[in-house]
Amino acid sequence: MKYTLLDITQDVMNDMDGDEVNSIDDTVEAAQVAQIVKSTYFAMMSTRNWPHLRKTIQLIPTSNLAQPTHMFVKDDIKELAFINYDTRKTGETRAKYIEMKWREPEDFLRIVNSYNADNANVQSVADDNQLDLQVMNDRSPTLYTSFDDRTLIFNAYDSARESNLQTTYVQSMAFIMPTWLPSDDFIPDLPDEAFSALIEESKSRASLKLRQVADNKSEQESRRQQRYLARSARRVKKGIKYPDYGRGSRGKGSSQYFDKNNTSPEG
């Protein structure tokens, strides 16, 4: 079941023996509780990649044609999940998407530094800090990195097809940070089963901050709810995958991960 910000604020204040309110703006304490709920919510959002926040996104192409392999992500993106790029050649009609491989900046530089700048299919591209990069100009990209956590730099572009990497050739998903509205009827963007954790953690924080008293019962319930969410945050693909170091059965193909909610060798 989902609850509005007013519902949660009233529940927290009732637990602290606070005044009855009909709006989060009725009293100073109600406004303080609503703010605590907000900070608690964003703390929860930052601790894991919630499946319901995984959405398709558009990368922003560069407007500077001197940087044809640069693209950008928006500020509300918490973490990229994947990037696919359509690698079809000029004249081909069927899309050929391949997944772009992430490389750490030092590894990316090592790779592009190996490109021979004397070849016609290699050109120099300077980033905003005048760092010289060698990129291929006769093929679609395969790798990318970022030096500032906002600008994506790829290793190639197909100049016969495009003057720079294009949004229309991108498939991408990312975890997006949700928005917040300080209004009575605002409903936090959470799965139904996560509201109990939000409420109990808000009670624990509010009791400590506004009453200087630890709410042991709420703390205990909050931990229990967080453990449950850690196990079952995914709605479609249940359970968290944990590293499997040698747990696979002999004679059978084994993955480096196993599903904690399904430990049978057959999966």
Side-chain angles (χ1 to χ4, degrees):
M1 184 175 179
K2 296 183 182 293
Y3 298 92
T4 66
L5 179 55
L6 176 59
D7 292 333
I8 299 171
T9 299
Q10 290 172 328
D11 193 347
V12 173
M13 293 191 67
N14 179 69
D15 204 62
M16 297 192 307
D17 293 326
D19 294 335
E20 291 187 7
V21 295
N22 295 311
S23 171
I24 62 172
D25 296 320
D26 275 357
T27 66
V28 171
E29 186 172 67
Q32 290 175 322
V33 169
Q35 183 62 34
I36 289 171
V37 175
K38 175 184 176 181
S39 62
T40 303
Y41 172 75
F42 280 106
M44 289 177 62
M45 293 300 97
S46 65
T47 57
R48 63 170 64 93
N49 287 329
W50 294 79
H52 74 287
L53 298 180
R54 191 172 188 255
K55 305 179 187 299
T56 57
I57 63 166
Q58 286 190 331
L59 300 183
I60 304 170
T62 182
S63 59
N64 181 2
L65 296 185
Q67 298 175 331
T69 58
H70 286 44
M71 301 190 84
F72 306 93
V73 295
K74 295 181 179 179
D75 291 336
D76 63 348
I77 288 178
K78 179 175 180 282
E79 184 178 320
L80 276 171
F82 68 84
I83 301 172
N84 294 335
Y85 201 80
D86 184 358
T87 63
R88 77 179 96 174
K89 292 290 187 179
T90 301
E92 295 179 341
T93 58
R94 183 176 179 178
K96 296 180 180 178
Y97 285 99
I98 65 169
E99 184 175 357
M100 299 292 100
K101 302 299 183 183
W102 164 263
R103 292 292 183 267
E104 293 294 333
E106 57 271 26
D107 293 330
F108 182 86
L109 288 174
R110 177 179 52 80
I111 292 169
V112 298
N113 285 343
S114 71
Y115 298 163
N116 188 347
D118 292 333
N119 293 341
N121 67 335
V122 176
Q123 71 182 73
S124 294
V125 172
D127 77 348
D128 290 340
N129 293 318
Q130 301 306 308
L131 178 66
D132 190 48
L133 304 168
Q134 308 303 317
V135 301
M136 299 284 191
N137 60 21
D138 64 343
R139 65 198 66 184
S140 294
T142 56
L143 311 172
Y144 73 101
T145 194
S146 180
F147 300 124
D148 61 7
D149 222 24
R150 180 179 181 271
T151 305
L152 306 180
I153 302 175
F154 295 80
N155 67 320
Y157 78 107
D158 189 347
S159 60
R161 185 183 69 162
E162 56 197 5
S163 58
N164 59 287
L165 298 179
Q166 299 293 315
T167 300
T168 53
Y169 294 137
V170 172
Q171 292 177 334
S172 186
M173 296 190 76
F175 295 93
I176 308 297
M177 284 302 289
T179 57
W180 183 273
L181 295 175
S183 61
D184 291 341
D185 58 356
F186 172 71
I187 299 176
D189 188 5
L190 271 177
D192 288 8
E193 64 271 18
F195 274 85
S196 292
L198 173 61
I199 292 171
E200 295 303 327
E201 181 64 19
S202 295
K203 288 179 179 179
S204 177
R205 293 188 179 202
S207 178
L208 189 60
K209 289 184 178 182
L210 302 181
R211 295 288 190 269
Q212 287 76 52
V213 176
D215 188 335
N216 294 327
K217 184 176 180 180
S218 291
E219 288 181 5
Q220 182 181 17
E221 180 61 20
S222 175
R223 288 194 295 268
R224 190 184 71 83
Q225 292 292 336
Q226 293 288 0
R227 286 195 298 269
Y228 167 76
L229 291 172
R231 293 193 304 269
S232 60
R234 290 188 178 274
R235 176 178 294 179
V236 177
K237 191 173 182 180
K238 293 292 186 182
I240 289 180
K241 290 184 176 180
Y242 292 85
D244 177 11
Y245 301 111
R247 292 187 179 90
S249 299
R250 292 188 178 183
K252 297 184 179 181
S254 61
S255 167
Q256 71 179 93
Y257 294 101
F258 76 103
D259 189 336
K260 186 178 181 182
N261 289 341
N262 184 357
T263 56
S264 67
E266 295 299 326

